[in-house]
Amino acid sequence: MTIQEFLKKQSRQDLSKSKKFPVRELELDPKGKYIAFVDDAQHSFDVSIVLDDQVIIASNCDCHVQEDSCLHKIAVVMAIKNKFTEQKRLTKNKQTKGRKAKLRESDELLLQMDKDVLVHWLKEVFKKNKPFEKQFLLTFGKKEISYTPEQVKETTEQVIASVAGKRKTLEAVKIKKILDLLTIALEPVETFVVANINKPIAYKIFSTFLDTLYAFDHRVSHYSKKLGVYVDEYIERFALSINNIQDDKQWRHIVEIQLYRLFELPYLTNKEYDYMLVQYIYLTASHQRMNQYVDLLKEILLAKSSKRYLFRNDFTQFLLKVSAKHNIYQDVRVFFDN
């Protein structure tokens, strides 16, 4: 149903209650899904609304109310409607004015500036800002650019420091700014990682970046859920890149390394992102690759059945669900009985 139909369907009382709920950080992701946080008394609920040309095709709220339209969903839909109304108003104003866009002060300066002066200024900026220099080389240079984990860590820390400084508490808007800047600064790095996903350097950069983010998360106090969402999406993209490897032998080799890492490292040294990565590889795999994943997992569980592993509970549950779904539980039961 459309936004109008959805809101018309709600009672006047529910609409009035929903208006009182603050809707925070309303954003539209590239897949057409609106995400926001709705504050309700002492709780904050994560709400998502998927639209197709203003038609609601899916919705979700982690308040777990069974009805299709909880108060939190209503609040977000009203916020989306208001956003559309504001965009329409701004568009109309622009059309009415019909004036030629005025050049910004910086644009005018660039057009007037002497080339030698600009070159000298850029050289000085490059000395102080290595990430900017990397971006310049990637955009205008012909030489293939490579990255190291150390460079990625340095860039990540510089971006964080540019917004957070030495503060120990950050509001949600600052967290969002950091994540937006990281997306821009590390875009060429992610392109490099995807191109080299079948090489060890890809995982080294992946783990170094997440270690740096986790260190920041532990150092700073904040109430934003966006950092967790950002990390989840980053891990999912890395898993998708692995599943996009065309050569089956290469794919199997990479997945085998990721799975064995959890079984080979001592307890408590396994990272949260390693647990998440092997699950996302399974969840984002094609049907054929999913079956290959299960075959590989079965081999590992049988090979490691003589030792008891103290995995995170959610990962143990994942192993049990996959084993049950693909009818291998009886074959690998000895692993879980330890």
Side-chain angles (χ1 to χ4, degrees), residues 25-42:
E25 301 178 36
L26 177 64
E27 287 187 349
L28 175 64
D29 72 10
K31 297 178 182 177
K33 178 167 68 175
Y34 281 90
I35 302 171
F37 300 109
V38 179
D39 295 331
D40 183 355
Q42 301 300 316

Side-chain angles (χ1 to χ4, degrees), residues 81-93:
K81 179 177 179 290
N82 291 338
K83 190 171 185 177
F84 283 155
T85 302
E86 180 63 14
Q87 288 174 345
K88 190 174 181 181
R89 185 186 68 79
L90 291 173
T91 302
K92 188 176 180 180
N93 286 346

Side-chain angles (χ1 to χ4, degrees), residues 56-193:
I56 301 172
I57 59 175
S59 63
N60 184 62
C61 176
D62 60 5
C63 72
H64 303 304
V65 172
Q66 297 300 318
E67 287 81 359
D68 289 338
S69 53
C70 67
L71 295 177
H72 314 112
K73 291 180 185 177
I74 296 171
V76 173
V77 171
M78 286 195 293
I80 294 171
K81 179 177 179 290
N82 291 338
K83 190 171 185 177
F84 283 155
T85 302
E86 180 63 14
Q87 288 174 345
K88 190 174 181 181
R89 185 186 68 79
L90 291 173
T91 302
K92 188 176 180 180
N93 286 346
K94 286 180 182 178
Q95 291 173 345
T96 303
K97 289 178 182 178
R99 283 185 258 172
K100 188 177 179 181
K102 185 180 178 181
L103 284 176
R104 294 175 300 176
E105 186 179 356
S106 57
D107 295 333
E108 292 178 351
L109 275 173
L110 281 172
L111 292 172
Q112 298 168 11
M113 190 170 285
D114 180 77
K115 177 185 173 183
D116 293 336
V117 174
L118 183 59
V119 169
H120 176 74
W121 181 82
L122 281 172
K123 285 180 178 179
E124 293 301 312
V125 171
F126 290 157
K127 289 177 184 177
K128 300 174 184 177
N129 193 330
K130 293 301 178 184
F132 180 70
E133 183 181 22
K134 276 280 186 183
Q135 184 66 43
F136 180 85
L137 290 170
L138 187 79
T139 305
F140 300 104
K142 295 180 180 179
K143 183 180 177 181
E144 186 176 340
I145 304 295
S146 62
Y147 295 90
T148 66
E150 293 74 22
Q151 289 171 333
V152 172
K153 181 179 181 180
E154 182 184 6
T155 299
T156 305
E157 289 177 340
Q158 285 179 353
V159 168
I160 291 171
S162 70
V163 178
K166 295 183 179 180
R167 285 183 290 239
K168 294 185 178 180
T169 303
L170 284 182
E171 55 269 34
V173 67
K174 296 292 185 183
I175 297 293
K176 181 180 183 301
K177 186 174 182 180
I178 288 172
L179 299 179
D180 288 344
L181 289 173
L182 283 174
T183 300
I184 296 169
L186 296 178
E187 183 180 359
V189 178
E190 194 158 349
T191 302
F192 171 77
V193 167

